[in-house]
Amino acid sequence: MANLNRRQWLRTAGLGSAFSLLGGWQALVPSTAASLPLHKAGLPSDGPARLASNENPYGPSPKVREAILKCLDEACRYPFARTQPLLDKLAQKEGLTPEHIVLTAGSTEGLKTAGLTFGLHGAEIVSSNPTFHVLMEYAEQLGAYIHRVPVNEQLGHDLDAMERRITQQTRLVFVCNPDNPTGTLLPATRIRDFCASLSKRTVVFADEAYFDYVAEPGYPSMTELVKTGMNVIVSRTFSKVYGLAGIRIGYLIARPDLAARLRRHVMANLSMPAIYAALAALDDPEFYRFSLQKNAEAKAIIYQALDAHRLRYVRSHANFVFFHTGRPVQEFNNAMSAQGVLTGRPFPPLLEWCRVSTGTPNDMQHFARALAAVQAGK
Ligand SMILES: Cc1ncc(COP(=O)(O)O)c(C=O)c1O
């Protein structure tokens, strides 16, 4: 079943022609399972195992799906009337005021907004390398100069080297914690001290897209520093643990004057479904916990498969694992793709490392089988 795509499965089950008349997927599953995500309901997944983009295959949760459908009654209206309740809810969640929050279409828009706000007029930006480069690449197109500082031996940010690259022209320092693609997490006091001290000289941007996955008790978000009025911007997303990557919603957290500057550069504005989805997701702690649990289970399977083949990897604090392929990653990716498993793109200069995202148990079995085949054919 795992290897059948949706169309093949329907044909096998003799249901293909009647499918649309019956009302699609939801008509084919028992009513209790109908409200569950497809994978949770045990239905076959569609096509290859998609382990390339750090998505959460379980989302949106049933409660969020319901909210999105409900919002259609209001989809002929501009969403402005609905943004305040979301700002209020996020402010309450973060222990700040609505003036500290900038809503964006995915955190990608927040990253680009910061790139635009701080990347002009010969600005310099400091980041680690590799990391999630959206902000830097956007600013670069606007003429900014980017100092890309190689990761250290543990593949974490080299904070000392990053600090040394700060000049009079530095307008922003970017940290990604946990980092993508490496999955590393900076020691709590180190990141806090680094951000606090550098924010006296420039703006510090902390990308916390994967913060929800951090399991260390009491590990600090850099919103702590925003609360004390520092020059720090934090980005968050609904794309990961909430499983809403296709809905496009995220937000920035910053001191009100900084937030106002950023807000002026936001281009997309939110859609009504995104607002409804986010509000419902914040009221669904059960799905949040479910996502974290499933992610931990999937990561354990990835570690097991990598251990079985003696492939080195970084212990990950996110929803993916970065591992050493021992050969050009593009070649490795092509071989995995031929086995029906899509893995992350190359991350130069680490061209013998591959990033694989967590997925459903089916996806993980598929990954383990494909890895075995690829390693055997090496
Ligand atoms: C570190 C990091 N930040 C931000 C994003 C952007 O996510 P989104 O635009 O879906 O919020 C990603 C996506 O993978 C990411 O890995």
Side-chain angles (χ1 to χ4, degrees), residues 35-162:
S35 62
L36 296 171
L38 294 182
H39 299 297
K40 212 178 159 192
L43 291 168
S45 59
D46 198 5
R50 292 193 273 178
L51 306 176
S53 303
N54 304 343
E55 297 148 339
N56 172 359
Y58 296 98
S61 77
K63 281 185 184 160
V64 171
R65 285 166 194 238
E66 215 174 280
I68 292 172
L69 289 177
K70 211 165 115 202
C71 104
L72 295 179
D73 290 339
E74 267 193 273
C76 61
R77 306 288 170 201
Y78 284 112
F80 313 127
R82 294 289 171 200
T83 48
Q84 195 57 45
L86 180 57
L87 286 168
D88 291 343
K89 208 172 185 79
L90 288 170
Q92 192 186 20
K93 172 181 184 283
E94 304 296 347
L96 287 158
T97 72
E99 288 71 37
H100 287 87
I101 311 289
V102 182
L103 297 172
T104 55
S107 59
T108 293
E109 190 185 32
L111 290 157
K112 290 185 176 178
T113 297
L116 176 56
T117 309
F118 298 101
L120 295 170
H121 314 302
E124 294 183 13
I125 291 176
V126 179
S127 82
S128 182
N129 191 43
T131 189
F132 193 71
H133 279 296
V134 161
L135 187 159
M136 282 67 76
E137 282 166 0
Y138 199 69
E140 210 161 27
Q141 289 181 55
L142 304 170
Y145 180 82
I146 313 298
H147 295 264
R148 290 186 168 86
V149 180
V151 289
N152 61 24
E153 276 185 7
Q154 292 74 44
L155 303 193
H157 285 24
D158 186 341
L159 296 181
D160 290 331
M162 285 171 72

Side-chain angles (χ1 to χ4, degrees), residues 53-54 106-108 111 132 176 180 207 209-210 237 239-240 248:
S53 303
N54 304 343
S107 59
T108 293
L111 290 157
F132 193 71
C176 188
N180 176 12
D207 182 329
Y210 299 99
T237 182
S239 298
K240 306 300 174 185
R248 310 310 298 134

